[in-house]
Amino acid sequence: MKAMAVRPLLLFFFFAQVRLSFSGGLSSMESIPDLQESMYMVVDGYPCVRLLNLSGKIGCSNPGREKVVASIRRFRNANDLTQLTAVLVSLDELQDLLHRSIHICFRISNDVSFHKNIVGVLVESGAEIRDKLKGFSPTQKFPQAEFAPYPSINYEWNSMGSGIMLKAYDFPVFLLSESSTSMLQEVADKNEKVMNGYTTSVAEFDLVMQTTKSGTHDSESCLKEQTCLPLGGYSVWSSLPPINMSLSYQSKPIILLVASMDSASFFRDKSLGADSPISGLLSLLAAVDALSRVDGWNDLNKQLVFLVLTGEAWGYLGSRRFLHELDMQSDGVSGLNSSLIEMVLEIGSVGKGSSQGVKTFFTHTTGVSSAVNDALDALKRAQDSLKSENIEVLSSNSSNPGIPPSSLMAFLKKNSLTSGIVLEDFDTAFTNKFYHSHLDDMANINSSAVVAAASLIARSLYILANDNNDMHSSVLGAINVNTSLVEELMGCLLSCKPGLSCEMVKNYIAPANVCPSHYVGVVIGEPSFKPYLGYVDDVSRFVWNFLADRTSTPKENASSSCSKDCTNEDEVCIRAEINGKGVCVISTTRYVPAYSTRLTFESGIWNVLPPNSSDSLGSVDPVWTESNWNTIGLRVYTIQNGAYDHFILIGGITVTILAYFMIALARSFITKALKHD
């Protein structure tokens, strides 16, 4: 009877304790998101994603339709893996781990179970990593060799090339931010210390690709099933002076200055490409700015046209599409005629051309022609006019198989008689040891080299536009590159601080992102020469506005405000994205879609066309696409060890059984005691 009286009292104290504990938890967690935030750490990182082409797939993806969850361990300490593991690796270890897809890795090939248990890869980052590496370039030793206009496709332009980014991996790979790197290093170390503990910290990878879920493993099938989109974007061209569209025929020979604005990387959103190719873009923009302050362009003998291409890192999409539109005489290239292109001058990688105060550049030519000789003479005259700047222009080695990987290759394949020069900061092989990697950032280039290249190009273009005629030294001396502009552009296009939120960019557009990335992206919607600006990336829109502004000529009447289009055919609306600041100017600046010439968009569906004999590069066009996905994420949390759960379960069952027997024994004892009383 006493036992029965004690039970309600014990229950009262139990529920009172539960209420106090619950109310104490509520005081610190006021919502479900608060609870989730305390349980899960969202990790800041950059994923390797799934890309496809006509022959298969590359890049990374979860192996199935579900998230991947695995314990975190350092790769160098993971000698024997008996459970699913997410390995934390340094950049040099990443190459060792992934090289099995290129040259079978000895360590993994002798322990298949070791490799099967690696289900996710976390790559460390940090300022000190660059100094430890001799180089890191995940692309080929001859990038895009299939597009070369010569047979020596085994030549090694890129000695550091490993090719790992062109292989497929059925597990997620994330590059960590610096802050996330230190956090996960601590997590991995903790897991090592409590190897057999009852809790472990795990990484949860959400990198489920739609192409994996649907089983579409090449570009043609995934486009048909709409589980991917083609790589591409919008190139920009502009002329100085503006072309008079009222004239039925343009007669001036064209000097075409070319640069690229897209790069590539193993990690999609970490593609800065500072030296290759953004240093060339910076030089082009700075040269245009310098030339815009010169008068009398209508009196010169040549027409200058500036072409900034995107998609060049993925099959020369921009240059090939531009040439295709020229053949078709499309609206986007109205005013241009391919037969009038006298010279193609391309600015390649020029950001590393400075050494011990001397800025050295190399000219890679398409061969011997009067136009090439005139351009070389112009470069020599420009160099002589810049003697105080210690600039040296040298011819590339005659033993080179031809021009290096560049947009000029597409021009040569289209017309083998094209006269062209590529200006680079290297002779026989890339000096950029981080070509097409996330380490090709602002620290990899020198602003003085970019300024020197821009000065050289600006003065050379003026000499060529003047038909190499003699001119007073004061004329060339007046063409000067704004050093502050170059440094500001570097901060805008190659750094998160200030990044695309810098004043120069915000003066023209309303950027969607702060941190720049020069990955080409995908084509959204139907390609157009007057695209919906929401489908055009930040950098393309900025370049369009910058060139339209710098190449414009004053209007006779007061400038008219605009929000989208202008009434006159010769005018464009710049700063249209800035409320109340749009203005119409006289300028010939156009967007040109950049996507594979093997693709067509009909009734909302992308279709792959068969190779066309008129498109010499169509047969080798990979037709790159990017898989769709719902979300991409990476988070870390703690779970109980499965063995511990089993121990608790068995222990609970054991206690329950013992309690049952104890209760039965106690009941029997109490019953006997009561009868005895």
Side-chain angles (χ1 to χ4, degrees), residues 190-263:
K190 183 179 178 181
N191 279 350
E192 294 289 338
K193 291 177 182 177
V194 292
M195 185 74 70
N196 298 316
Y198 68 89
T199 63
T200 185
S201 294
V202 298
E204 180 188 86
F205 299 89
D206 187 356
L207 195 68
V208 180
M209 298 284 121
Q210 291 291 336
T211 50
T212 302
K213 293 172 71 174
S214 64
T216 50
H217 301 305
D218 60 64
S219 288
E220 189 163 14
S221 63
C222 74
L223 288 172
K224 184 177 180 180
E225 296 297 325
Q226 300 184 58
T227 58
C228 65
L229 286 171
L231 294 192
Y234 284 89
S235 301
V236 178
W237 72 272
S238 185
S239 67
L240 184 70
I243 296 171
N244 187 347
M245 294 298 178
S246 63
L247 298 177
S248 59
Y249 180 74
Q250 308 296 330
S251 58
K252 282 187 177 182
I254 294 172
I255 306 297
L256 185 63
L257 181 66
V258 180
S260 300
M261 59 177 159
D262 78 292
S263 185

Side-chain angles (χ1 to χ4, degrees), residues 326-544:
L326 275 179
D327 283 349
M328 302 296 292
Q329 279 298 292
S330 306
D331 291 342
V333 292
S334 177
L336 297 181
N337 189 323
S338 58
S339 65
L340 292 176
I341 298 177
E342 181 179 278
M343 179 70 196
V344 179
L345 179 57
E346 181 173 355
I347 316 177
S349 305
V350 293
K352 300 180 74 66
S354 180
S355 177
Q356 297 180 343
V358 179
K359 295 87 174 179
T360 305
F361 304 102
F362 295 89
T363 55
H364 300 258
T365 66
T366 56
V368 179
S369 69
S370 59
V372 168
N373 291 336
D374 287 346
L376 292 174
D377 289 342
L379 286 165
K380 180 66 169 63
R381 289 176 62 184
Q383 173 191 320
D384 292 341
S385 72
L386 292 162
K387 283 185 177 179
S388 62
E389 303 298 324
N390 291 324
I391 298 175
E392 188 176 29
V393 181
L394 302 175
S395 297
S396 61
N397 197 305
S398 59
S399 65
N400 289 352
I403 60 173
S406 57
S407 301
L408 188 54
M409 284 185 168
F411 284 83
L412 278 176
K413 291 291 281 188
K414 185 70 175 177
N415 180 1
S416 60
L417 299 179
T418 300
S419 296
I421 294 176
V422 186
L423 189 71
E424 302 275 12
D425 57 15
F426 62 85
D427 183 5
T428 58
F430 296 171
T431 54
N432 181 8
K433 301 303 181 184
F434 302 114
Y435 182 83
H436 279 186
S437 89
H438 63 283
L439 295 177
D440 188 11
D441 55 20
M442 192 159 67
N444 198 38
I445 64 173
N446 191 311
S447 62
S448 64
V450 176
V451 171
S455 301
L456 194 66
I457 290 296
R459 295 191 180 189
S460 298
L461 288 178
Y462 188 82
I463 294 169
L464 288 171
N466 198 41
D467 220 1
N468 279 41
N469 292 326
D470 291 334
M471 63 188 74
H472 197 275
S473 59
S474 62
V475 176
L476 286 182
I479 303 175
N480 294 303
V481 168
N482 185 342
T483 302
S484 298
L485 172 70
V486 171
E487 292 173 349
E488 187 176 1
L489 284 169
M490 287 175 63
C492 296
L493 300 180
L494 294 174
S495 171
C496 288
K497 297 179 180 179
L500 297 174
S501 64
C502 69
E503 286 302 315
M504 180 181 297
V505 172
K506 289 170 66 177
N507 185 44
Y508 289 116
I509 67 169
N513 302 290
V514 173
C515 290
S517 177
H518 301 296
Y519 173 68
V520 61
V522 295
V523 182
I524 302 175
E526 184 174 8
S528 171
F529 300 114
K530 293 185 178 181
Y532 167 60
L533 295 182
Y535 293 162
V536 184
D537 72 86
D538 291 338
V539 177
S540 291
R541 299 196 326 274
F542 166 68
V543 168
W544 186 94

Side-chain angles (χ1 to χ4, degrees), residues 278-293:
I278 302 303
S279 62
L281 169 64
L282 297 174
S283 293
L284 181 146
L285 297 178
V288 172
D289 175 72
L291 292 170
S292 70
R293 296 190 292 273

